[in-house]
Amino acid sequence: MVEGRATLSRRGFGALALAGIAGPGFAQGYPNRSIQVVVPFAAGGGVDVTMRVAAEAAGDLIGQRFVIENRGGGATITATTAVVRAAPDGYTVLTAPTTMVINAASRDNLPFNWKTDLVPVCMIAKLPLVVVARADAPYSTMKEFEAAARAARDPITFSSGGTGTVAHLAGELYALRTGVKLQHVPYRGEGPALSDLLGGSLKVSFATLASVSGQIEAGTVKALGVTTRARTSMLPNVPTLAEQGYADYDVSAWLAVVAPRGTPQEAVDALQKAFSTVLATPAMRERMKVLGADPTPGTAAELAAFMDKEASQWAEVVRAIGLKPE
């Protein structure tokens, strides 16, 4: 039950009984009307589409529509500010991406404090990153790439979809942890970065799996490693960086649901239960797999702890490289 500027096939989620889901008793009290979900990106992107899939299924379960409102621009600050200032009644929530905790480390004078002005509801999904190189590159693993970087006279170039993105900071974190010299080349989007990688002007790219899965399948690029601690079901034969000797490396883009401070606990609990229930189903896992996302159901407390850890990790990287927003 999702409304918005982009439409999705229901993919069978309207008949939740087919997925073995029984309604958990949301009929009384909250919610008694539609719920606005603010997405801080334009319609059609990975975060937007992933949130729509989850919200559609959760809306069917909870018995109310989730109305998607896309508020792109401002490096997610515009959308976040709007939700912080919204009535804390459970009927306006935010799709919070990794950018939110990166902004806190890299930008001064934000009009909000995500730790005190928002409350965690539920993690939705993690979007694994993958390190890719051209199919004819002289390295096929991250250790081989590290050796090449150490032997090179000049820093090896790596690309991402933009300065300050998770992919950019993932590459910087790798350089900091290994001590190799890398040179970041930012692009306005992952598509142009991939084009230059294929053209030979770049050595590797840190990218979301969704953006490069087609090229990996076609064999035009090869995956050197997955950045999450555990292997992703979307590339089961590609080892993680942790498996390749980088034991403390665990990076992903992610999206979660948060709400304005003061939102009633009844609403937080109901939303968390609805999202976590649908995210745990085999049907949702298969749908998310197509999008390059791993559904990650959990409690609000687990989300809070995860966000704290992420904020600490990215603050460390931001300070080390002296990142300033564009």
Side-chain angles (χ1 to χ4, degrees):
M1 293 186 175
V2 177
E3 295 177 350
R5 285 185 250 171
T7 58
L8 291 172
S9 169
R10 299 184 66 81
R11 303 285 300 213
F13 283 122
L16 286 169
L18 295 178
I21 302 175
F26 295 119
Q28 297 181 352
Y30 175 89
N32 55 30
R33 56 186 171 89
S34 62
I35 301 162
Q36 181 185 47
V37 181
V38 178
V39 175
F41 300 106
V47 169
D48 174 67
V49 174
T50 302
M51 187 68 241
R52 287 174 183 273
V53 169
E56 183 172 46
D60 286 333
L61 181 61
I62 208 170
Q64 293 291 342
R65 292 194 304 272
F66 282 89
V67 181
I68 302 293
E69 179 181 350
N70 296 96
R71 292 195 184 187
T76 74
I77 296 170
T78 301
T80 304
T81 302
V83 173
V84 164
R85 295 174 179 173
D89 55 10
Y91 292 96
T92 301
V93 297
L94 173 71
T95 304
T98 324
T99 312
M100 189 171 70
V101 298
I102 294 174
N103 281 340
S106 63
R107 296 173 181 267
D108 298 324
N109 303 317
L110 286 174
F112 57 82
N113 182 323
W114 68 267
K115 284 183 66 69
T116 58
D117 294 333
L118 296 162
V119 295
V121 176
C122 182
M123 177 69 83
I124 299 299
K126 293 182 179 181
L127 286 72
L129 303 180
V130 59
V131 186
V132 294
R134 274 173 46 121
D136 59 356
Y139 31 76
S140 298
T141 69
M142 291 303 296
K143 283 297 185 181
E144 291 175 357
F145 172 70
E146 180 185 344
R150 292 190 186 283
R153 184 170 63 178
D154 298 318
I156 284 188
T157 55
F158 80 94
S159 68
S160 77
T163 299
T165 60
V166 184
H168 168 209
L169 296 189
E172 299 286 6
L173 179 62
Y174 176 78
L176 289 170
R177 296 283 171 85
T178 61
V180 300
K181 293 181 179 181
L182 301 180
Q183 176 63 52
H184 177 234
V185 182
Y187 287 80
R188 293 195 177 276
E190 293 183 313
L194 181 60
S195 294
D196 277 6
L197 178 71
L198 293 172
S201 58
L202 294 167
K203 298 302 183 183
V204 297
S205 184
F206 285 72
T208 58
L209 177 54
S211 70
V212 294
S213 59
Q215 286 73 23
I216 293 173
E217 185 176 348
T220 55
V221 301
K222 55 185 172 183
L224 308 185
V226 175
T227 63
T228 44
R229 186 173 300 280
R231 292 194 188 196
T232 173
S233 62
M234 292 160 280
L235 287 178
N237 296 321
V238 177
T240 66
L241 270 69
E243 289 178 284
Q244 297 183 59
Y246 310 99
D248 56 350
Y249 197 96
D250 182 17
V251 173
S252 64
W254 48 265
L255 61 147
V257 174
V258 297
R261 180 185 61 184
T263 298
Q265 192 62 44
E266 173 195 19
V268 172
D269 291 345
L271 290 169
Q272 187 277 330
K273 187 174 184 179
F275 279 113
S276 288
T277 299
V278 298
L279 289 169
T281 64
M284 180 61 77
R285 291 195 173 278
E286 286 302 310
R287 182 68 183 99
M288 290 279 191
K289 184 176 180 179
V290 175
L291 302 176
D294 284 329
T296 316
T299 67
E302 289 169 340
L303 173 58
F306 174 81
M307 291 175 68
D308 281 342
K309 180 181 178 182
E310 286 282 287
S312 177
Q313 173 172 268
W314 296 131
E316 172 191 337
V317 176
V318 165
R319 286 192 300 268
I321 67 174
L323 175 67
K324 294 297 180 182
E326 294 179 322

